[in-house]
Each structure stands twice: as C-alpha cells, then as structure tokens.
C-alpha cells in the first residue's frame, strides 16, 4: 500500500484539500499559495502536513517542491490571474514536474467567451474616480485560453500520456459561470 499525496497549486484557504481529507483521511496533502496568512493558517489546520505548505506565486512558488513528490496536482481557478500564456506554461510545467500521476487544471477561462466575460467584469468593477474602467487598468484583465492550446502545448510533452478537456457546464449545469470555463485533465505516463 502506497500513501497518496495530493497537492494544490493556489490552495487558498484549503477548502478543496479539506474535502479530500473528508473522504480519504490517509492522504498526504500540501500546497502553495500567494497569501502568507493563508499558508500560516493551513499549517496550523493541517499540522501533520505543515511542512508541505509554502507561500509563493506561480510559477516560481512551486520550485521548492521535489520532482515527482505528488501523485496528483490540482490547480483550481488560478491561471486566469497570470500575466500571459508563457507564464501559464511555466506554471503547468512546474505542476507536471512535481506530479507522478496527473495534473488537473480547473475553472480555466475559455477564449471563446472572452468578450462576454470581459464585458461582465467591466460592468462589475465599474470605473475609477477619473472615469476609467477599473477592469483592465487597476485590475488586470483575465487570461483566457483556447481549448486547443492545451493539446498543442502538452500532448508531445515527454511525461504526458493524455490531455482531456471537459466543459464545466456539462458536469455542473448550476454553476453560473460554467459555460465560459473548462477543466483540463493531464494524465501522466507510468
């Protein structure tokens, strides 16, 4: 029997990892997040796994993790905050480096819905005192991905067996933003 080790890139308050432990208390968990306060809280909340949590921003925030140290790495609703596709590739490459079995990147913004999402975010954030849109100036615009970027970028990767894309709306129809988002599952070679 081999203990399973799961990590989260952008673990936030640990809600996802907490749910994993509810069903599998034997799991070893860890993660990286940009918030020092959240990482401190996670270390306190998960004392047996405290040494597996660290503070940092993707992609460099995962540099400390040992190669092949996690069975599965999950990254949920994080890549849209990165600067560009090159930075996103670096982040996913780091996830692949530390994963033994797979990587799941969830809540990825679909480029096909960029105009619609940008309009909603512009309306949500409004304007500043000078009448300028906050979204795209004070708040950086989200990063969107064409679905084929994932297969073009990772199908020929030496460690990757398969790349699968799943539409969020198909799996969770009640998720209001689901039509503009998708999940990428990357299975690694044994």
């Amino acid at each position: 029997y081999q203990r399973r080790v799961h990590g989260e890139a952008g673990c936030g308050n640990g809600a996802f990892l907490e749910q994993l432990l509810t069903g599998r208390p034997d799991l070893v968990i860890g993660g990286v997040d940009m918030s020092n306060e959240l990482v401190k809280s996670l270390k306190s909340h998960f004392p047996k796994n405290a040494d597996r949590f660290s503070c940092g921003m993707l992609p460099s925030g995962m540099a400390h993790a040992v190669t092949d140290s996690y069975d599965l790495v999950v990254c949920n609703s994080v890549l849209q905050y990165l600067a560009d596709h090159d930075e996103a590739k670096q982040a996913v490459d780091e996830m692949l480096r530390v994963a033994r079995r797979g990587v799941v990147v969830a809540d990825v913004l679909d480029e096909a819905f960029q105009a619609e999402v940008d309009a909603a975010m512009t309306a949500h954030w409004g304007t500043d005192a000078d009448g300028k849109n906050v979204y795209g100036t004070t708040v950086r615009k989200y990063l969107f991905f064409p679905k084929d970027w994932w297969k073009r970028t990772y199908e020929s990767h030496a460690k990757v067996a398969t790349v699968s894309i799943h539409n969020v709306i198909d799996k969770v129809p009640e998720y209001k933003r689901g039509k503009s988002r998708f999940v990428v599952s990357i299975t690694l070679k044994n």
Side-chain angles (χ1 to χ4, degrees):
Y1 174 76
Q2 180 183 4
R3 288 186 79 181
R4 296 287 180 220
V5 182
H6 291 151
E8 188 172 9
C11 56
N13 66 7
F16 173 75
L17 295 170
E18 181 80 48
Q19 285 301 307
L20 284 178
L21 288 177
T22 300
R24 290 283 309 271
D26 61 314
L27 288 177
V28 176
I29 58 168
V32 62
D33 196 84
M34 65 182 265
S35 168
N36 195 39
E37 291 303 312
L38 285 175
V39 170
K40 283 181 190 176
S41 175
L42 291 167
K43 288 181 176 199
S44 174
H45 189 69
F46 302 114
K48 291 191 290 186
N49 298 288
D51 63 328
R52 288 189 166 270
F53 288 98
S54 63
C55 186
M57 291 190 58
L58 295 178
S60 62
M62 295 189 69
H64 73 283
V66 175
T67 299
D68 296 331
S69 58
Y70 290 97
D71 290 296
L72 176 69
V73 176
V74 175
C75 182
N76 183 43
S77 198
V78 172
L79 294 189
Q80 68 261 29
Y81 301 110
L82 299 180
D84 54 36
H85 290 125
D86 289 337
E87 189 174 51
K89 182 181 182 317
Q90 291 170 17
V92 176
D93 286 349
E94 277 297 293
M95 292 177 222
L96 290 170
R97 181 185 65 78
V98 303
R100 286 190 292 255
R101 302 181 74 178
V103 171
V104 175
V105 183
D107 223 27
V108 178
L109 282 165
D110 188 342
E111 184 180 74
F113 294 93
Q114 183 169 356
E116 183 179 328
V117 173
D118 279 348
M121 294 307 297
T122 299
H124 171 77
W125 284 102
T127 57
D128 63 16
D130 297 325
K132 294 182 181 176
N133 288 332
V134 172
Y135 181 67
T137 56
T138 307
V139 174
R140 182 174 22 196
K141 283 192 172 191
Y142 287 159
L143 179 62
F144 292 79
F145 292 83
K147 288 181 178 174
D148 70 336
W149 181 86
W150 295 90
K151 290 190 178 196
R152 281 188 285 113
T153 305
Y154 289 105
E155 275 191 333
S156 62
H157 189 283
K159 202 171 175 180
V160 173
T162 61
V163 177
S164 303
I165 307 290
H166 311 277
N167 292 315
V168 172
I169 197 72
D170 295 342
K171 305 287 183 187
V172 189
E174 60 276 2
Y175 180 41
K176 291 179 183 178
R177 296 181 301 218
K179 77 174 188 175
S180 63
R181 313 224 176 188
F182 58 92
V183 176
V184 180
S185 300
I186 302 174
T187 306
L188 303 182
K189 297 173 184 172
N190 294 333

